[in-house]
Amino acid sequence: MNNPFGEKFLQELPLILAGPILQHTESDAVTVWIALKRPCEVVLQVYDTANRGELITNLLFEGRRRTFALGKFLHIVAVTAESAGSHLLSSDRIYAYDLQFIESSTQQQTLATALCSRRFPAVNISYFDHQKPTFALPPTDLQDLRIVHGSCRKPHGDGFDALPILDCLIESAANQPNKRPHQLFLTGDQIYGDDVADPLLWVSSQLGDALLGWEERLPVTQYTAADPSYYTPKQLLPGYRADIATHQAGFTAGLHNKTAKVSSHLLSLGEYYASYILSWSPACWPSSIPQGHEVMHGHRVSRRWDKEVRDMQQFTHTLWKVRRALANVPMYSIFDDHDVSDDWNLNQAWCLRVLGQPLGRRTVQNALLAYAVFQAWGNTPKQFAAGQPGERLLQAAADWSASGGMNGAVENAIARYLGMPPINPSTNLPEFVQYDAVLVLDRAPEALTWHYTIRSFCHEVIVLDTRTWRGYPADQKPIAPPMLLSPPAFSQQLSQPLEQVNHKPKGRSQLQATFVIAPTNLFGLEVIDWIHHWHLKRDKVYGVDVGDAWNINYEALAKFLTTLFEQRRQVIVLSGDIHYSSVVRLTYTRKSLGSEKKSVLVQLTASAFKNEEKITEIIHTRLKQWLLPEKNRQWIGWNNPPYMLEISSKKSYRKSLSHRPPEWHGLMEWVHRKITKTAEFGHNISWLMTAEQHARNLKWELFQYLTFWKLPWFQDGREVIGLNNLALVHFEIDNNNSSKVIQDLYWFSTWYPIEIVYSRFESELSHSRLSI
């Protein structure tokens, strides 16, 4: 079979492989990330507009930066344009930006020309005639704030990709600065390192090598002298990686008879790089993918290959809308496990099993390096400024590529900057440091931090890293559930941001809302909690992610709640991970010196963008509320030491009082969704389906009334959204200053004709605005 990613393919690629993606954006600085085919100096210019965004006017900011050569045909930069002090961006205007690409003193390209090629003669990333991408800063009034969030986007997952709905949201209000989305938060699993479709690995592996210009030598353990010491990605074929991923790399996704989850696991740096590009841009997808019988041996696996190809063709069909959306709203993100591999750092046993293997360690490092370049750089651009650890990491990544992956000193430098734990030379196992009663993976002082805080005119967002700062119980078995934030992580990631003096931008109003991004949810379905505890008692922790939910470790959850409510009366937690969406409200009452202090936490969960499953499709319907409705749950807790205990009856409550009186009480309630409505842009969605998908739907349209479970009435469950969805968060404040947070969850209807619909969840906060 001819190589589809040869010289001809590379020549036909546009200069811009992925992006532009608008990232960290403040009143005095704007950052745009972009991936290019050739090295350039990239110039970013930010403009004011008039006539509600229609006319480009004054140049406000300008910045420039050279790309870093991460491969022969992969050059990446996140360029920041900053204020010189004479002007700050305000919250009630639409701004535009432009890019220029200077390849030499005589050769440069505009944004319009850099996007296009023979395969892509016309690329539109704007909502206006001037063809420039635009954005609006968050408002000064909480009622006007619009935040979008979601998680878990697997290209071959079931159902339509929900992320393109973001493009519809922006397009419908592009000329209204207080109505269009102001920030996008991706809360985990932006790509999947495990559970990769065979044809997607086929594309990623070859594209990755083509962009790098070299083949990585992936280290493996030699058990006999005849065993190979390394494999290249092309030697590890799609569908045949289960054994090496499980036994040589140590990954746990393939345990418990789930080898299909790792049979096409990403391993090489090029594969992780390529996965991001393929998730965000249509530019590098090949024009055709071979049929299953040309690649796979066996009828069953060949049929599965062809089905996954159709799924990915549907995915790529709407990528143009994803690309346009990401260019027009500031995007922030944080990893969860699948950005590396399922169960990443789940417990101490996982760390010892994977990081103690040369291939496991290399793969985790490859995934983290890809995350640093494709996500973290835009989240925290100051970490990657000149002279900072991030810039040194970028240079080391360029040197690693220039050496063809052969420079051991550079590899070690990358590990230090990424925070990979050192390996004990005596045991060949990762090093831990003990804090109080827990063990934490060791890291170098110059390592990057993945957590960060965003502060705007009326709200703050504290983004947590619950993967690399876990606290593993030192006095329990290695599979014991960890604290998702170890003691030093609680201080650095939560206590310090909450206590910081507000650095108010000019004209900033009073802080009115605090958001916390927790990739793994605090509270979930009660039956899931029961399953987790059942599996934990039987030491089967990997199959159902025992230890990833906060409420499997009550000490950590109690500390999380008390830390938050010491500083804030209202908190909104955004989370994902669990492949369904919901809203729960926790009322926290603390008793002190005969008085009561009430606080409120609302958890807004949004998952998945594209990964619905049969079980989530069932709990989405009325069947869930009929057979297994969620009930209110109550906890009592103590502050020193932090702990909490669930009480299910008056008897258990009185029994708990026999030890010592509780210091606080928590009541969790499930918020029910309103009747499903059609979005104002939801009727005409001809862009959604490929011709093949449309023909298949027409074929079954006549039978829709025989499938009652797909009809609107049955799909109107009360508690969760179990189909692929995207969340829009906004607020209502009445004349009495009482505030309400609203999560509108957009999804594709199951009935005909297919529409974009939304389900609304409303939760009261308190009767007064938050005062910090």
Side-chain angles (χ1 to χ4, degrees):
M1 184 184 302
N2 293 329
N3 179 13
F5 299 96
E7 188 66 30
K8 183 174 185 293
F9 173 84
L10 293 169
Q11 288 179 354
E12 291 181 348
L13 289 176
L15 177 62
I16 299 177
L17 304 180
I21 296 177
L22 182 62
Q23 296 218 254
H24 194 112
T25 300
E26 301 178 298
S27 58
D28 59 352
V30 175
T31 298
V32 174
W33 178 96
I34 201 157
L36 304 173
K37 182 172 70 172
R38 294 187 296 273
C40 292
E41 181 181 36
V42 180
V43 180
L44 169 63
Q45 297 171 318
V46 179
Y47 292 90
D48 200 354
T49 70
N51 194 22
R52 303 177 73 184
E54 295 286 350
L55 300 175
I56 303 293
T57 57
N58 300 324
L59 174 64
L60 303 177
F61 299 171
E62 184 172 290
R64 59 182 62 212
R65 193 169 188 182
R66 288 207 64 83
T67 54
F68 284 82
L70 302 187
K72 183 178 180 181
F73 298 100
L74 181 61
H75 304 264
I76 294 182
V77 68
V79 56
T80 300
E82 297 182 285
S83 168
S86 58
H87 196 286
L88 295 175
L89 306 184
S90 63
S91 64
D92 57 350
R93 300 189 63 80
I94 293 173
Y95 297 98
Y97 68 88
D98 198 5
L99 294 163
Q100 297 175 4
F101 306 92
I102 303 172
E103 300 186 57
S104 67
S105 58
T106 59
Q107 186 176 6
Q108 66 180 47
Q109 290 195 46
T110 65
L111 176 58
T113 57
L115 286 166
C116 298
S117 67
R118 189 168 68 179
R119 281 186 60 203
F120 300 94
V123 177
N124 178 23
I125 60 168
S126 177
Y127 302 99
F128 295 94
D129 291 340
H130 53 62
Q131 294 299 293
K132 302 288 189 294
T134 57
F135 64 93
L137 291 186
T140 56
D141 195 327
L142 191 62
Q143 293 183 89
D144 296 323
L145 180 64
R146 302 288 186 273
I147 287 180
V148 175
H149 72 114
S151 65
C152 307
R153 187 164 172 257
K154 187 167 68 174
H156 70 289
D158 287 346
F160 296 114
D161 183 12
L163 190 52
I165 297 175
L166 174 60
D167 182 71
C168 301
L169 288 170
I170 301 174
E171 185 175 34
S172 65
N175 62 356
Q176 303 174 67
N178 288 337
K179 296 296 182 183
R180 60 185 284 170
H182 301 108
Q183 292 173 331
L184 166 67
F185 290 94
L186 304 180
T187 60
D189 300 342
Q190 278 69 260
I191 65 166
Y192 277 66
D194 64 293
D195 200 2
V196 179
D198 293 347
L200 180 57
L201 177 62
W202 184 86
V203 174
S204 298
S205 186
Q206 297 192 69
L207 174 63
D209 282 353
L211 295 178
L212 289 179
W214 52 276
E215 290 186 284
E216 185 174 357
R217 294 157 64 108
L218 295 164
V220 293
T221 302
Q222 290 180 282
Y223 296 105
T224 70
D227 291 340
S229 60
Y230 71 88
Y231 287 101
T232 65
K234 287 189 177 69
Q235 290 177 296
L236 302 173
L237 299 175
Y240 297 96
R241 292 188 174 188
D243 184 71
I244 194 169
T246 303
H247 300 294
Q248 281 278 1
F251 291 123
T252 56
L255 298 179
H256 308 302
N257 299 316
K258 294 184 178 180
T259 56
K261 298 289 186 182
V262 291
S263 61
S264 289
H265 200 297
L266 303 182
L267 298 172
S268 74
L269 181 60
E271 289 165 357
Y272 277 97
Y273 282 166
S275 292
Y276 281 106
I277 291 174
L278 296 169
S279 293
W280 291 343
S281 169
C284 288
W285 280 92
S287 54
S288 64
I289 298 176
Q291 293 182 330
H293 67 85
E294 300 177 71
V295 183
M296 310 300 287
H297 300 290
H299 181 66
R300 184 179 61 84
V301 292
S302 177
R303 285 186 59 191
R304 187 182 68 184
W305 172 288
D306 291 337
K307 178 187 180 302
E308 289 173 341
V309 168
R310 291 193 297 270
D311 291 338
M312 290 191 301
Q313 288 171 339
Q314 173 59 54
F315 178 80
T316 59
H317 182 69
T318 57
L319 264 183
W320 68 274
K321 288 181 76 68
V322 172
R323 186 184 210 183
R324 182 167 70 166
L326 297 183
N328 287 271
V329 62
M331 183 191 87
Y332 303 89
S333 63
I334 188 63
F335 45 52
D336 201 16
D337 57 343
H338 292 288
D339 296 272
V340 176
S341 181
D342 190 26
D343 303 327
W344 176 37
N345 289 353
L346 178 70
N347 49 40
Q348 186 188 6
W350 193 97
C351 299
L352 296 171
R353 175 187 171 98
V354 176
L355 300 179
Q357 301 265 28
L359 181 59
R361 182 178 174 85
R362 170 67 70 80
T363 303
V364 172
Q365 183 164 315
N366 285 340
L368 261 183
L369 178 55
Y371 173 82
V373 172
F374 282 80
Q375 297 194 62
W377 190 355
N379 292 332
T380 56
K382 290 182 180 178
Q383 280 199 107
F384 293 79
Q388 296 301 309
E391 187 198 42
R392 293 194 286 272
L393 171 66
L394 294 169
Q395 187 57 58
D399 293 342
W400 176 247
S401 187
S403 74
M406 298 296 292
N407 190 322
V410 170
E411 181 182 12
N412 292 335
I414 291 172
R416 291 198 309 275
Y417 293 128
L418 292 175
M420 296 287 292
I423 296 297
N424 186 305
S426 300
T427 64
N428 290 324
L429 295 175
E431 296 273 18
F432 294 83
V433 178
Q434 186 160 351
Y435 293 91
D436 299 334
V438 299
L439 300 172
V440 182
L441 286 170
D442 195 11
R443 71 196 66 215
E446 63 266 40
L448 293 172
T449 56
W450 311 115
H451 63 275
Y452 55 97
T453 300
I454 305 296
R455 287 192 172 90
S456 192
F457 297 101
C458 69
H459 75 295
E460 62 182 351
V461 185
I462 300 170
V463 183
L464 303 179
D465 164 14
T466 60
R467 283 285 162 188
T468 73
W469 278 99
R470 294 187 168 194
Y472 306 108
D475 58 349
Q476 300 179 37
K477 49 190 173 185
I479 62 169
M483 300 178 69
L484 298 190
L485 292 179
S486 60
F490 265 111
S491 174
Q492 296 169 21
Q493 298 191 36
L494 204 58
S495 297
Q496 291 178 19
L498 290 170
E499 294 168 358
Q500 282 177 356
V501 177
N502 293 325
H503 302 287
K504 293 186 177 182
K506 185 176 181 181
R508 177 174 171 172
S509 61
Q510 184 185 42
L511 183 62
Q512 299 166 45
T514 293
F515 291 85
V516 176
I517 306 276
T520 53
N521 56 309
L522 306 180
F523 305 102
L525 298 175
E526 190 170 11
V527 66
I528 301 299
D529 291 349
W530 182 87
I531 291 172
H532 281 175
H533 285 285
W534 189 86
H535 278 83
L536 180 60
K537 289 179 181 179
R538 288 154 180 79
D539 292 344
K540 296 181 179 179
V541 299
Y542 296 116
V544 291
D545 297 339
V546 176
D548 267 350
W550 281 83
N551 60 353
I552 200 72
N553 187 315
Y554 277 163
E555 179 184 354
L557 180 56
K559 185 173 178 62
F560 181 85
L561 295 174
T562 54
T563 302
L564 281 176
F565 292 135
E566 282 174 1
Q567 300 290 333
R568 302 291 187 268
R569 298 288 298 277
Q570 301 165 314
V571 179
I572 300 160
V573 173
L574 304 183
S575 66
D577 179 54
I578 49 182
H579 302 176
Y580 67 80
S581 298
S582 63
V583 175
V584 298
R585 183 178 190 270
L586 178 77
T587 304
Y588 177 98
T589 304
R590 181 174 180 179
K591 298 179 180 180
S592 178
L593 300 176
S595 63
E596 291 187 346
K597 175 183 176 183
K598 288 187 178 291
S599 304
V600 174
L601 180 148
V602 179
Q603 176 185 272
L604 308 178
T605 303
S607 175
F609 281 135
K610 194 178 192 298
N611 202 8
E612 66 189 46
E613 302 165 284
K614 293 303 178 185
I615 186 63
T616 66
E617 293 171 4
I618 292 171
I619 65 175
H620 175 88
T621 67
R622 289 180 178 265
L623 195 62
K624 165 69 168 63
Q625 72 196 56
W626 292 339
L627 300 180
L628 200 64
E630 295 300 315
K631 300 176 182 178
N632 293 344
R633 301 171 68 180
Q634 298 186 65
W635 289 268
I636 54 175
W638 298 266
N639 297 332
N640 192 20
Y643 193 70
M644 58 193 291
L645 179 68
E646 185 167 7
I647 54 174
S648 56
S649 66
K650 290 183 179 180
K651 182 179 178 180
S652 62
Y653 180 73
R654 286 194 297 268
K655 183 178 179 181
S656 65
L657 293 181
S658 64
H659 299 286
R660 60 184 173 120
E663 298 175 64
W664 58 266
H665 172 267
L667 171 64
M668 190 197 79
E669 305 165 277
W670 283 77
V671 176
H672 289 172
R673 58 171 159 130
K674 309 288 186 181
I675 298 297
T676 300
K677 296 183 179 180
T678 302
E680 61 182 34
F681 50 77
H683 293 286
N684 182 17
I685 51 174
S686 56
W687 52 267
L688 177 62
M689 292 178 283
T690 63
E692 182 179 355
Q693 179 72 47
H694 185 67
R696 190 180 304 120
N697 279 9
L698 287 177
K699 177 182 177 181
W700 291 102
E701 185 173 354
L702 296 176
F703 299 96
Q704 65 168 310
Y705 294 106
L706 299 179
T707 55
F708 73 91
W709 58 88
K710 290 189 174 185
L711 296 179
W713 175 83
F714 190 70
Q715 292 289 318
D716 241 340
R718 299 293 302 279
E719 296 161 343
V720 306
I721 302 298
L723 305 181
N724 294 337
N725 62 89
L726 172 143
L728 173 66
V729 180
H730 52 110
F731 297 83
E732 284 185 4
I733 301 175
D734 62 23
N735 294 333
N736 296 321
N737 220 22
S738 178
S739 54
K740 180 187 297 182
V741 61
I742 299 171
Q743 177 164 256
D744 289 335
L745 288 158
Y746 291 84
W747 47 284
F748 297 103
S749 69
T750 59
W751 51 88
Y752 299 101
I754 293 177
E755 302 172 326
I756 298 175
V757 298
Y758 69 95
S759 300
R760 173 163 293 186
F761 294 77
E762 298 180 356
S763 177
E764 296 289 340
L765 288 169
S766 73
H767 294 291
S768 61
R769 293 194 188 188
L770 180 64
S771 179
I772 305 300

